[in-house]
Structures are given as C-alpha cells and as structure tokens.
Amino acid sequence: AYGWRLLDREVFISLWVVLFVLLGMYLLGKISFSHDEKVEKIGVLRFTLALFPLSFAVYLVPGLWGAPLNAASAFVPPLTTQDFNLNQPKEYTHFTDYDEGMAYAKQHNQPVLIDFSGFGCVNCRNMESAVFNTDPVLDVVGDNFVVITLMVDDRSKLKAPVSVVENGETKELDTAGEMWTYLQSSKFGASTQPYYIVLDNEGNAMNNPVSYTNDDGSRVSVNQFIEWLHEGIDNYK
C-alpha cells in the first residue's frame, strides 16, 4: 500500500513455501526444538497432518513463475507486483491515474473501464483471479477498453494536498488512496471494492456497476462479466 515493494508476490510466495515446508518437516519429526520430546515413530494422524502443509508448499511453487494460484489468490499480492512471470496475461491499455486514463480514452475514442480496487482487498484478488484475468475477459477488455485501476488504500503522497467538501465539511486529501476513495463515494455513491463501471469519455456511466457478487449474493461469473462488458460497449456506441 505504501509502494515500498518489500513483499512482492514472489517474495511473499517464497516465504510461504519455506514456512509450510518447515511446518511439514516439524510434524514429521525432522525438525525439533529444545523443549520437544524426541519423535521415535510417526502416527497416521500426524503423518496425514504433515501432508497438508507439504502439499500446499508444492502447490505454491509454480506461483514463483506466474501461475495464478487460484486457491490462494485472495491472500497473495497481485500479479502486477511480480517481476518474473512466465505466464504473461494478455495486454490491455492500463492507467493508475483517473485524469490520465480519461484523457487517453478521449483522445482514442474508447470507453473506459474503471476498477476501484485495493492492495489489501481479498475479494479484489479473488475477482481478478477467477474472472478479470481470464483469457475470454481479457480479449474483450484488450480490444475495446482503456482500463483505469484506482487503489483506494494507496498510501503514496500526492504532490500537493487536495481540498474537497464532503458532508458540508472541508477536508484535505493527502494520499492517492484518499483521492480515489473520495472519487468513488462522491461520483458513484459507493465504497465497496472491487467495483467496476464503464464510462464514456465525459465520465458518464454506461451501465450499472459490477461488484464481487450479484444482487442475489452469488459470485459474478466470467460469462456474466463479459455480457456486462458488451452492454457497456453497446451503450457507448
């Protein structure tokens, strides 16, 4: 969130691999501490318990080369923080600043897909892994949209504080995250993430927003998201 890049995705996964391997070895009695009793034999229950962390560590290893790791995607940092990625996703026009992205979209006469997200947003990672970063969705996004991703918990400082009026009170916004949070709440009346919405080049919404779940509580599927994208494209045209 502060942009320090201390826990990039591959660093985070490496730490998890080591920790779960050590846990598995400890349960098997291969590692012990000074206060532990010596393990002479391993019971079925203890052996079974050791299989879980060791298996999970093996599952995590491909993530070091860019595998999506759907089962753990909610907890690891986003793929954008990974420097070495053999599983390169399809490219699309992408901005992390609202004004810059809107200006580019207007210049190239393309609709805008706003993605309100967060570095610490578990549902955002789930949505990206299960829906947004799938090939069918990226095909539609790459061919039609300018994507603007706005991290509401971005702690990077603005060049100068921005004064806004909210609920009759004047407040200063010091960080990028505060500005994107204010933009989402003031312009769209929402505070949830992930939050996707299609805009025209004047900033008008082309359809209803999409979040992590539907109104009935079910998770948004790839097909539903693609239908929603095409609805936004048609309304824009």
Side-chain angles (χ1 to χ4, degrees), residues 107-123:
Q107 181 181 358
H108 292 81
N109 194 30
Q110 288 182 283
V112 175
L113 175 60
I114 298 288
D115 172 17
F116 286 100
S117 185
F119 293 111
C121 174
V122 172
N123 286 343

Side-chain angles (χ1 to χ4, degrees), residues 60-148:
L60 291 172
V61 170
L64 297 172
W65 290 274
L69 301 180
N70 291 340
S73 61
F75 307 104
V76 298
L79 268 169
T80 52
T81 67
Q82 183 144 341
D83 297 320
F84 184 66
N85 186 357
L86 294 178
N87 185 32
Q88 289 290 345
K90 297 183 179 180
E91 295 184 356
Y92 52 87
T93 306
H94 182 240
F95 290 87
T96 57
D97 181 89
Y98 180 80
D99 292 331
E100 291 179 4
M102 292 298 294
Y104 181 93
K106 187 171 185 178
Q107 181 181 358
H108 292 81
N109 194 30
Q110 288 182 283
V112 175
L113 175 60
I114 298 288
D115 172 17
F116 286 100
S117 185
F119 293 111
C121 174
V122 172
N123 286 343
C124 299
R125 302 293 86 76
N126 273 330
M127 185 73 174
E128 290 163 2
S129 175
V131 179
F132 193 87
N133 288 331
T134 59
D135 287 342
V137 171
L138 291 181
D139 284 339
V140 178
V141 171
D143 293 340
N144 298 279
F145 289 96
V146 173
V147 180
I148 305 177

